[in-house]
Amino acid sequence: MSQPLVVKKDDDLDEEEYYSPFLGIEKGAVLQEARVFHDPQLDARRCCQVITKLLYLLNQGDTFTKVEATEVIIVTSSLMKDMNSKTDMYRANAIRVLCRIIDSTLLTQIERYLKQAIVDKNPVVASAALVSGIYLLQTSPEVVKRWSNEVQEAVQSRAALVQFHALALLHQIRQNDRLAVSKLVTSLTRGSVRSPLAQCLLIRYTSQVIRESGMNTQGGDRPFFDFLESCLRNKAEMVILEAARAITDLNGVTSRELTPAITVLQLFLSSSKPVLRFAAVRTLNKVASTHPLAVTNCNIDMESLISDQNRSIATLAITTLLKTGNESSVDRLMKQMTNFMSDIADEFKIVVVEAIRSLCLKFPLKYRSLMNFLSNILREEGGFDYKKAIVDSIIILIRDIPDAKESGLFHLCEFIEDCEFTYLSTQILHFLGNEGPKTSDPSKYIRYIYNRVILENATVRASAVSTLAKFGALVDALKPRIFVLLRRCLFDGDDEVRDRATLYIKLLDGEATVGETEKDVTDFLFGSLDVPLANLEASLRNYEPSEVPFDISSVPKETKSQPLAEKKATGKKSTGPSSTVNGPVPTIDASYEKLLSAIPEFAGFGKLFKSSTPVELTEAETEYSVNVVKHIYDGHVVLQYNCTNTIPEQLLEEVMVFVDASEAEEFSEVASKPLRSLPYDSPGQTFVAFEKPEGVLATGKFSNILKFIVKEVDSSTGEAEDDGVEDEYQLEDFEIISADYMLKVGVSNFRNAWESMDPESERVDEYGLGVRESLAEAVSAVISILGMQPCEGTDVVQNNSRSHTCLLSGVFIGNVKVLVRLSFGISGPKEVAMKLAVRSDDPEVSDRIHEIVANG
């Protein structure tokens, strides 16, 4: 750290006169700071520079009073003289301070001195001028851009810091010209940059050029990738890490191209420096999410990091191992983590729990050991977020792995016996009420549920009463015992508990509730509310008590989509049911099914088979936000257009979408439902229904135009004008594809499911997939075409593998179960061949799967 300047006040000036320019600027603090210094060799001008520096520091907090113009001239003149001082430190400090307080008019007067300083032989002076240029680029860009030649010369400097600052300034000058940035990177990647700091900057700029130009590492940007690869052999550790991180972040990078970066990161895992170990394992953790097999060679090194003293490193190591581990290593990892979990904080534990959940979904046959581990850590001490993460993970595993239901429910029952969090107790009781009656022995859960009625607070007791009623409604053998327990609840001290007990006794007693059927009772207990809660809350808030009672039928049933503010913040973030290849198996969204069944035009279409994820038809920042959800029926397709008006000054009425299905000849429009009104930031839906031939896999492209009447809204009153203008808005096209007729439904044991299907339904054929970059690309393409669920982690292809087997399962429209076994092979010139074997409940469906692949 540099020593402070030493000053003495000139004896010819009294204190008040000397400090007069700064009397309104925290005078006491300035005087106290100035008195600290004492040196008889320095004059008043040097003291003035120190006070000017103090002025600048005070300026950062906006605690100063504006000084007079004449006083500014005195200060700036003093600093300008220092710019030509023979002492380099004075020159550097003067440049920094002057460029912070100078305006654009005065800048032109000292521009010549600044340009000279940029190419000065003293690195301190040159760096001060370059850093000042970076600051001035924000206020006077046109002036700084004239310094390009001098900055270019400074990039060739031998001083490391000068080269770093010069490269940063030169890039900022050219950042709005993509071609200029590309030329800059091209010229500098030939080896003229030697400073480690500057090389790190150059690596980032190179990655930026590759991303913005949309290049792939196999094409014309090979010199750029060769530069990144050469940086992996640099002497500076920071350069090596920056290059490795840049390579792993590239889009479309192959496993072969990742290998050099993975190798150097593996070496850093055994480094004696904690910062290098942390940087390496954090990068590998990120790579493991997209290329798990590329990181498997580092597993042995990462296992040694589980016991690292730095808990951040240990957590990253264990989560990376969970992502890259195979089925045989699961048990060993569980043993290592037993002692590990007690030594880390809750936020790290949550990361580990989420990684275990993903591993269990990837290897469902290992659910026993993973479920036992989750149940053990659930009994340990921890905060709410940590416990909630474990409970959510167990619930997801129960839903997605049928064999895990019995043990999972038992672990949850044991947890609520000693659970201190009301939210988690009620969540588990609700889930237990839905899943418990469907198990082989529902009676074993009654004890755990009724204990909550006796021992817990009123909120949990009320939830337990509802859970008991669900068991009584679905399990006839338990109904008499449930009646006894519910009658005991009639004497509870809480009104909510007593009211629920009374209601459920009436519902379960068929004779006491005239006109109620068993189906009505089940729908009441297990069905969801017909209207969205957000809409119900809004309607209740707007209701004013009067003689007319509140009518729930007046609540709009349209599904509330993502709020506009959140949509703008997250870009094209889709809402609604969604899934990933390795994620949870999707099911039909109950809100969609209820919404469509409540519309008379669609009530006769039958049972909804599948609802797609929303497809965006507009850009994120446009006037109107529209996405479409494809609802598939046996003989019809309903298109739900979710619309949002993003203009506060407009009200849209009679909103509808005109759909051109000329490129989808097998579809014919049969019904539509326009949206009557679309206020600002209030999502609404309009529908268009098409009929398609039953038994035909109809596909095609749909063009869309949003039509509406727009009315201006008075911003002061919020009322719209009476007259409106018809207008329209062009939307993006979308397609209905073969995958829309397939539901992703996984199986826990593919081999047993395959052998249980009729061999007569099996259809086998071979296909040539042409030239592919890798087997992984071919596997991903076929999965996308079929729209089926990969099983047992077979969607992941090993590095440099020349053959691969992928297992898929799903349900085809008409509720036909389908299993697919894909065998891939690759020849010398990257020609990929595939053998496709299909078994299903219907041999005709097996033939259709082959047709989809042949036409895909």
Side-chain angles (χ1 to χ4, degrees), residues 92 161 196 280 340 398 425 461 500 508 547 573 605 765 840:
L161 207 56
F340 165 80
I398 292 173
S425 295
R461 295 202 304 272
R500 288 195 184 195
L508 295 176
E547 296 181 358
K573 180 179 178 182
F605 289 174
D765 204 347
S840 68

Side-chain angles (χ1 to χ4, degrees), residues 315-438:
T315 304
L316 287 170
I318 194 66
T319 53
T320 307
L321 287 169
L322 291 173
K323 293 177 182 178
T324 60
N326 51 39
E327 200 163 1
S328 60
S329 65
V330 171
D331 294 330
R332 186 178 74 256
L333 287 175
M334 293 300 103
K335 292 179 182 178
Q336 289 179 297
M337 284 194 296
T338 302
N339 298 326
F340 165 80
M341 294 294 287
S342 60
D343 298 332
I344 60 176
D346 278 5
E347 58 262 40
F348 295 137
K349 292 179 181 178
I350 293 173
V351 175
V352 175
V353 169
E354 291 173 349
I356 291 174
R357 180 178 65 200
S358 300
L359 185 67
C360 193
L361 292 174
K362 184 178 179 181
F363 303 115
L365 294 178
K366 288 292 183 180
Y367 76 88
R368 287 186 178 86
S369 58
L370 295 171
M371 187 76 79
N372 288 335
F373 178 83
L374 291 175
S375 66
N376 289 335
I377 61 176
L378 188 60
R379 299 188 188 99
E380 297 175 357
E381 294 295 326
F384 170 77
D385 291 334
Y386 173 48
K387 297 288 187 178
K388 184 177 185 300
I390 301 174
V391 170
D392 290 343
S393 297
I394 293 177
I395 289 176
I396 289 174
L397 297 181
I398 292 173
R399 287 174 174 170
D400 292 351
I401 306 175
D403 294 340
K405 178 181 288 189
E406 297 277 351
S407 60
L409 290 176
F410 178 73
H411 293 318
L412 293 177
C413 286
E414 285 192 328
F415 172 63
I416 59 175
E417 286 288 297
D418 190 27
C419 178
E420 59 182 311
F421 303 108
T422 300
Y423 176 89
L424 295 181
S425 295
T426 54
Q427 179 189 13
I428 293 172
L429 286 169
H430 174 75
F431 182 72
L432 191 61
N434 291 335
E435 300 296 333
K438 303 173 187 177

Side-chain angles (χ1 to χ4, degrees), residues 97 133-134 163 186 221 320 323 334 368 465 545 586 593-594 634 719-720 736 751 755 817-818:
V97 177
I134 294 174
Q163 198 173 53
T186 303
D221 61 319
T320 307
K323 293 177 182 178
M334 293 300 103
R368 287 186 178 86
V465 169
E593 197 164 17
K594 284 184 174 285
D634 286 341
E719 296 183 358
I736 291 180
R751 181 178 179 180
E755 293 176 351
K817 295 179 181 179
V818 182

Side-chain angles (χ1 to χ4, degrees), residues 760-771:
E760 297 295 328
S761 68
E762 183 173 347
R763 300 290 185 270
V764 183
D765 204 347
E766 296 182 354
Y767 301 88
L769 303 183
V771 177

